[in-house]
Amino acid sequence: MSASSGAEVVIIGGGVTGLSAGWWLARAGLRVLVLEKGIVGWEASGRNGGGATHSFSPFFLEEQRLWPQMDEMLGYPTEYRRQRIRIALNEVQWSRMMRSVELAERQGFAWQRLDRRQLRELVPLVGDNALGGLLLDYGGHANPQRTVQAYAWALQDHGGRILQHTTATGITVRGGRATEIVTDRGVFGCEALVIAAGPQTGMLAAMVGAHLPLAPARVEMIVTEPLPLMRHGGADGNGLYGRQTLRGNLAYGGGPHEWIELEGMATPPRVVTPLFRHLARRLTELFPKAAHARVIRSWAGIVENTPDGRPVIERLAEPGNVVLATMSSVGFGLSPASGRAIAELVQHGRCLFADVAPLSLARFRGLPSDWRERLGWIPAADDEAGGIGAA
Amino acid sequence: MASQPARPGGASAGDPSSAAGAPLLVAEHAPLVVVGAGPAGLSAALAAAKAGIATVLVDEHPVESALMGLDVPYHFGQRMNAAVQSKGRMIERIAETDPRLSEAFEAGIDLRLGTCVAGAFVSGPSASSLRKPVLMLADGERSWLMSFDRLIVAAGARDLGLGFAGWEKPGVMGARGAMALLRRYHAFDGRTLLVMGSGAVGMQIAFAALDSGIAVAGIVEIEAAVRGPEAMRAELARRGVPFYLRHAVKEAVGGAEVEGAVLLRLDAEGRAVAGSEARVACDTIVTAIGLVPNVELLDLLGCRLAFRSELGGYVPELDEEGRSSVPCVFAAGDCAGTFEGKLVDDNIARAEGALAAAGAARDLGAVAAPPPESAARRHEPGEVHGYWQAWLAAEIAVGGWDVTVCQCEEVTRRELVELRPPRYLGWGGSQVAARNIERLAAEGPLNQDQVKRLTRAGMGHCQGRRCREQVQMLLAIAGKVPVAAVPLASYRPPVRPLPLGICGPQDEPREIREHWTAWFNIPTQWTPHWEPTPVAGSQPAPDISGLGGPAPGDER
């Protein structure tokens, strides 16, 4: 098959990170082709809490700078709203929540304490069990489903192409460069390649000789019927992340994840388990005045984590035209910045606005092959799987 | 192995914040659970009980009046009277209506009325920690888990929803809702009803209404002839019920509730005849155009489904006994496929129930009597979606595109096919205007789940019951593809809208409470990424035990 149908930059993975990178590249005038094995933004990119408040990331400042401009830059709504509220029901939650605002404060961002009365004015669903909260004068939240589609459409509006239902099965490397991507729908030539394929990024990286350690897992969220809009919808706590959507639904996740195994490029089933009931219980504790609100849906997503839970964003030395990207399960909110960083690595060989050296693969040099067992992420051979049984 | 402190008891700690460390409280176990006490479910449960199998039979009726108000599980159209607020009274009425319920009780079946199944779960590739399959049950006060060895789903069918101007008004309802209120609950709160659809379903409604002393203002049919059995037509005509053939409903009129319907005549090509408006006085309009198998539990369980128009749409792939692709799950009755023959002859559903019971019994080491040969499935149903789409086309012809499809989220046909962001966002602009279903269809197979994310159609509190098939058909029309090419929109638990306070478990096991984290318990995920960190298993040796839990203030 001919490779003439390729592009200057081919991106494997139509998730939020790959789409953002493709959008940045397309608006810079490059010819971009995104290969997506399913539907754009269909996996964890479109099913997450929608938070945009990541003070631990080298992309934090850029994340904060870009989000307020995204609707206008994309031309499609993301439902972005500024600020977050954190709620603590006990002292342990309070002290943990303080750690993240102190980190943001060191980077020049403001926050304030809310006593129970102030909290209730902004978040009327909280009860007497709340100790209080923090109002973050930074961060925010957006609608993941709408945002991933916005990236995809904006990318197309800039002349980029997206091929859905197209699975990459091989990568041809010639003369120290990735030259072709083999898929189940033909071969596509490229001058540069971005691999941002979520849980499958490790398998694809192996095709170009890179070892990217990743562990996939399944997580769950629930959503209620719409409730009257609170003054501040971006409120969470009690071990839950999420928000009240602009429609009024409470959409929250958290709690036990399930480490899983991948079967090649196939998308693992995103089934919800009975654990989703515990989200309802936790949410009732967080918002006692919403106990009557009906849960109308739940969903599961498959995410991937590196051994230290931090992203890998790196332009490889060999083959030198390949950028690897995984956001290690925390990718949605950072996507405006991570996509820009990836685009700059493709265009300039380095990220111009942030230091991505700490996100290099180099930190995993010498990682033993049984790192998941050592971390306890998959059971050791003698450990019976499963903890669910009649009680 | 520094990162693996032993858990008390000596087992490997694994990751205690993962599902592997999270015990679930399963309240009870049943060798066999039958969901649905209609003809198929009752027949299955009775056959299994006679074979000596301890059987639980669950039925959601009587439904909480609050759920009825949300049009769950049927389109009740607010036509229930105050009697439905008394659950005890409704249980008595339902038991009186169907003597086989007493028979089931006598046979020792553990009968749970007023109990819904909100979820069903089996272990699979990405949910491997369930030891036994479980159901999530709920009544008006709590929810709980019940494990089972074998499951027979006999969950019945619901109505095909079809919108027209004013169908949001109280008084517009579905045939299943009407039949339940008339025949099971004896709590129907209308005086004159108009039926849309002249098949057996529609005519059954007319008979049920007349038998209850309720007037029938007419039966509306887009086709030139009545679709259902001639004997039913003749009897209804004899009792004075007018048939409005080659007509469609343009609008439900009235103030706060339905006071009448405006009909429009259709010509031979299905176009609206100008000036043919006729107003029919009625307080209830019943859509009885088609029935849709209730496959939500089967979908949750991962049973393979296939689109078979002659059986009402997406139905489970079953073997001769009704066993699905998930070996511990059987399906029987309308949820296995609906057609007119099954509707008018309960023996078909009963036979399916008995067959499924025979299969389940054999699995459980018992022998259930097979159903009599004469009652085995014998039918030649025809496809229905051509007729359903003709109804939709007729309603578009008489009512246009600015008619609500999704009542919960207030999405019109036009907003759906133009992929408009929801009104509350107030979003315009040329980029959005250039997007529509036709263009989306050119980029890959249409997917209802993708469209619902963008338009919100089907995302509301009725969980898509009133609009799911309309949306599917509109996507097919706008995307110029066959209905069968639009995949089933996914079902998710809870498949009944349950209050947070009921959906959650009453207890949170100590292991879950102690190890609960908002996101993965990887401490270095939440510390500054510009500061180096020792990585597990690399040099130097890791010690993640001393780093403490993640900060829940950070985000996913």
Side-chain angles (χ1 to χ4, degrees):
Chain A
M1 231 174 276
S2 147
S4 61
S5 51
E8 273 177 281
V9 186
V10 171
I11 297 170
I12 305 177
V16 73
T17 304
L19 289 171
S20 174
W23 169 68
W24 281 104
L25 288 163
R27 70 195 297 276
L30 279 77
R31 284 179 297 116
V32 173
L33 171 65
V34 176
L35 303 176
E36 163 54 47
K37 68 180 166 62
I39 296 174
V40 288
W42 203 240
E43 304 301 324
S45 296
R47 29 181 101 217
N48 59 69
T53 318
H54 301 97
S55 55
F56 51 79
S57 171
F59 299 144
F60 180 47
L61 299 183
E62 188 69 357
E63 175 191 49
Q64 299 308 306
R65 188 182 75 82
L66 286 172
W67 265 114
Q69 312 172 46
M70 291 305 283
D71 276 12
E72 198 180 331
M73 287 170 77
L74 292 167
Y76 300 93
T78 65
E79 300 189 22
Y80 172 75
R81 289 294 182 275
R82 271 193 76 239
Q83 298 184 327
R84 292 291 282 182
I85 284 180
R86 306 296 187 207
I87 299 160
L89 302 187
N90 57 50
E91 295 292 345
V92 175
Q93 291 177 0
W94 188 275
S95 66
R96 284 184 174 182
M97 146 178 121
M98 289 301 295
R99 274 192 256 160
S100 85
V101 292
E102 284 160 7
L103 184 54
E105 190 175 60
R106 290 206 292 277
Q107 298 174 77
F109 293 93
W111 55 273
Q112 67 180 83
R113 280 171 201 275
L114 301 172
D115 63 26
R116 199 177 293 153
R117 187 189 54 79
Q118 293 168 313
L119 180 62
R120 200 172 292 151
E121 276 176 22
L122 295 175
V123 187
L125 293 176
V126 297
D128 293 335
N129 58 338
L131 281 189
L134 302 177
L135 173 62
L136 281 49
D137 193 21
Y138 59 91
H141 54 97
N143 179 333
Q145 303 177 336
R146 224 170 275 296
T147 302
V148 285
Q149 192 69 66
Y151 279 126
W153 282 345
L155 182 159
Q156 291 176 328
D157 292 342
H158 284 291
R161 288 185 297 147
I162 299 171
L163 275 184
Q164 301 185 116
H165 307 285
T166 304
T167 304
T169 55
I171 298 167
T172 308
V173 178
R174 274 198 204 99
R177 298 177 67 79
T179 56
E180 286 174 349
I181 293 87
V182 182
T183 77
D184 57 354
R185 288 177 62 185
V187 177
F188 300 92
C190 68
E191 288 169 31
L193 172 64
V194 175
I195 303 175
Q200 274 91 3
T201 304
M203 280 179 233
L204 290 157
M207 293 177 189
V208 296
H211 178 58
L212 171 53
L214 285 179
R218 189 185 51 76
V219 290
E220 302 178 5
M221 292 188 73
I222 59 169
V223 59
T224 71
E225 65 185 325
L227 297 174
L229 290 180
M230 300 190 287
R231 272 182 63 193
H232 206 297
D236 60 16
N238 194 34
L240 298 172
Y241 60 88
R243 70 197 200 285
Q244 181 179 39
T245 68
L246 300 194
R247 172 71 175 100
N249 313 81
L250 304 178
Y252 287 84
H257 48 270
E258 180 161 345
W259 298 107
I260 63 168
E261 297 293 335
L262 291 182
E263 291 176 21
M265 291 296 167
T267 302
R270 297 155 306 208
V271 295
V272 173
T273 73
L275 286 169
F276 88 94
R277 301 171 67 224
H278 290 274
L279 291 171
R281 184 190 162 95
R282 284 260 162 178
L283 191 51
T284 314
E285 290 170 0
L286 180 66
F287 295 142
K289 290 176 181 162
H292 66 285
R294 291 177 185 271
V295 183
I296 57 173
R297 208 159 39 244
S298 61
W299 68 89
I302 309 294
V303 297
E304 78 278 10
N305 265 306
T306 63
D308 59 7
R310 297 179 178 187
V312 169
I313 292 189
E314 177 160 15
R315 179 154 170 176
L316 298 178
E318 175 84 28
N321 64 336
V322 176
V323 175
L324 295 184
T326 167
M327 292 303 289
S328 192
S329 81
V330 188
F332 173 75
L334 289 164
S335 63
S338 64
R340 185 172 188 196
I342 293 164
E344 290 181 353
L345 284 168
V346 170
Q347 291 174 276
H348 312 294
R350 63 193 182 90
C351 176
L352 307 179
F353 68 86
D355 178 13
V356 295
L359 307 183
S360 163
L361 266 180
R363 67 188 193 272
F364 300 126
R365 212 166 282 150
L367 187 76
S369 59
D370 63 345
W371 63 275
R372 286 197 297 165
E373 288 87 338
R374 289 179 186 232
L375 283 171
W377 291 3
I378 57 174
D382 59 345
D383 190 14
E384 269 295 301
I388 299 179
Chain B
M1 302 290 277
S3 61
Q4 290 222 351
R7 197 187 229 179
S12 164
D15 173 1
S17 68
S18 76
L24 288 191
L25 300 176
V26 179
E28 48 183 344
H29 175 80
L32 176 65
V33 180
V34 180
V35 180
L42 267 167
S43 162
L46 283 165
K50 279 183 191 135
I53 296 168
T55 302
V56 174
L57 176 58
V58 184
D59 195 281
E60 65 189 313
H61 297 283
V63 174
E64 295 277 310
S65 61
L67 270 184
M68 286 183 164
L70 297 175
D71 288 330
V72 177
Y74 302 140
H75 190 177
F76 290 104
Q78 316 302 326
R79 271 293 167 262
M80 53 281 183
N81 65 27
V84 300
Q85 284 160 22
S86 164
K87 190 166 182 174
R89 199 161 141 205
M90 287 301 113
I91 285 182
E92 280 171 29
R93 282 193 190 172
I94 282 171
E96 282 164 17
T97 306
D98 192 343
R100 283 168 66 96
L101 286 172
S102 317
E103 199 185 324
F105 187 75
E106 300 292 323
I109 292 167
D110 184 351
L111 182 59
R112 315 279 182 96
L113 295 179
T115 303
C116 72
V117 182
F121 310 89
V122 286
S123 69
S126 53
S128 60
S129 52
L130 278 171
R131 282 210 191 114
K132 274 184 182 287
V134 295
L135 297 177
M136 174 181 176
L137 303 181
D139 58 21
E141 280 144 29
R142 65 189 184 109
S143 66
W144 67 98
L145 299 180
M146 176 192 279
S147 58
F148 61 88
D149 297 314
R150 290 295 178 273
L151 176 69
I152 298 175
V153 180
R158 64 181 163 78
D159 296 297
L160 169 73
L162 184 65
F164 44 86
W167 81 302
E168 306 90 332
K169 287 184 201 304
V172 177
M173 68 187 311
R176 284 282 146 133
M179 198 60 116
L181 293 180
L182 284 164
R183 284 268 166 90
R184 298 186 81 181
Y185 292 79
H186 303 285
F188 182 76
D189 192 24
R191 283 179 299 279
T192 309
L193 58 79
L194 179 73
V195 178
M196 294 167 69
S198 67
V201 193
M203 291 199 283
Q204 277 184 344
I205 288 294
F207 280 114
L210 293 173
D211 293 349
S212 304
I214 291 156
V216 178
I219 294 180
V220 184
E221 173 56 56
I222 55 166
E223 296 194 339
V226 169
R227 277 178 69 88
E230 166 58 21
M232 293 173 86
R233 185 207 63 79
E235 175 62 11
L236 285 175
R238 194 190 64 75
R239 293 171 76 170
V241 173
F243 285 85
Y244 295 94
L245 301 177
R246 281 225 175 113
H247 275 76
V249 174
K250 184 187 176 202
E251 188 180 1
V253 291
E257 304 207 353
V258 172
E259 291 166 17
V262 176
L263 309 187
L264 218 56
R265 213 166 63 239
L266 303 166
D267 67 16
E269 273 75 52
R271 291 175 303 225
V273 175
S276 66
E277 278 93 346
R279 182 167 166 155
V280 176
C282 59
D283 58 25
T284 304
I285 301 172
V286 182
T287 53
I289 291 154
L291 294 179
V292 182
N294 282 327
V295 296
E296 57 258 66
L297 292 174
L298 299 163
D299 190 41
L300 289 189
L301 288 161
C303 303
R304 264 201 310 277
L305 305 176
F307 186 86
R308 292 183 63 187
S309 180
E310 73 279 15
L311 296 180
Y314 284 96
V315 289
E317 292 180 7
L318 303 173
D319 72 6
E320 281 301 303
E321 285 180 325
R323 189 192 301 268
S324 74
S325 64
V326 175
C328 63
V329 179
F330 294 76
D334 282 340
C335 72
T338 69
F339 49 91
E340 292 241 321
K342 200 188 266 189
L343 192 76
V344 295
D345 180 3
D346 279 351
N347 287 322
I348 299 175
R350 290 205 180 98
E352 289 178 0
L355 270 171
R362 198 174 56 251
D363 289 0
L364 296 169
V367 178
E373 194 63 35
S374 60
R377 282 182 254 184
R378 42 177 157 65
H379 55 264
E380 282 185 37
E383 74 89 35
V384 294
H385 284 77
Y387 176 64
W388 294 5
Q389 278 188 298
W391 258 105
L392 177 57
E395 288 300 329
I396 293 171
V398 302
W401 286 87
D402 295 311
V403 167
T404 300
V405 179
C406 172
Q407 292 191 24
C408 298
E409 299 293 315
E410 300 181 342
V411 182
T412 65
R413 293 173 187 148
R414 186 185 307 282
E415 288 167 330
L416 178 80
V417 302
E418 295 185 354
L419 287 180
R420 293 217 196 131
R423 290 172 220 165
Y424 59 83
L425 292 181
W427 190 273
S430 58
Q431 283 169 270
V432 161
R435 300 285 169 180
N436 56 45
I437 291 290
E438 196 174 356
R439 202 167 154 194
L440 198 68
E443 295 170 1
L446 285 174
N447 186 301
Q448 192 166 333
D449 284 328
Q450 184 179 20
V451 171
K452 85 184 186 193
R453 292 163 153 211
L454 298 171
T455 62
R456 296 198 64 82
M459 297 273 265
H461 55 71
C462 88
Q463 300 180 309
R465 284 179 175 79
R466 297 176 295 194
C467 73
R468 187 177 262 270
E469 290 73 30
Q470 287 185 83
V471 170
Q472 183 192 16
M473 290 194 288
L474 284 163
L475 295 194
I477 291 172
K480 300 184 171 67
V481 297
V483 178
V486 181
L488 182 75
S490 63
Y491 287 100
R492 326 272 182 75
V495 294
R496 295 292 180 273
L498 298 180
L500 277 171
I502 287 176
C503 188
Q506 285 149 321
D507 297 312
E508 190 176 45
R510 186 182 51 80
E511 295 88 335
I512 292 184
R513 177 153 287 276
E514 282 178 8
H515 299 294
W516 185 281
T517 57
W519 200 238
F520 296 79
N521 188 19
I522 311 173
T524 47
Q525 192 156 36
W526 315 111
T527 52
H529 290 186
W530 50 91
E531 292 172 5
T533 174
V535 168
S538 63
Q539 300 301 324
D543 177 16
I544 65 166
S545 60
L547 292 176
D554 292 315
E555 298 214 348
R556 274 55 51 189

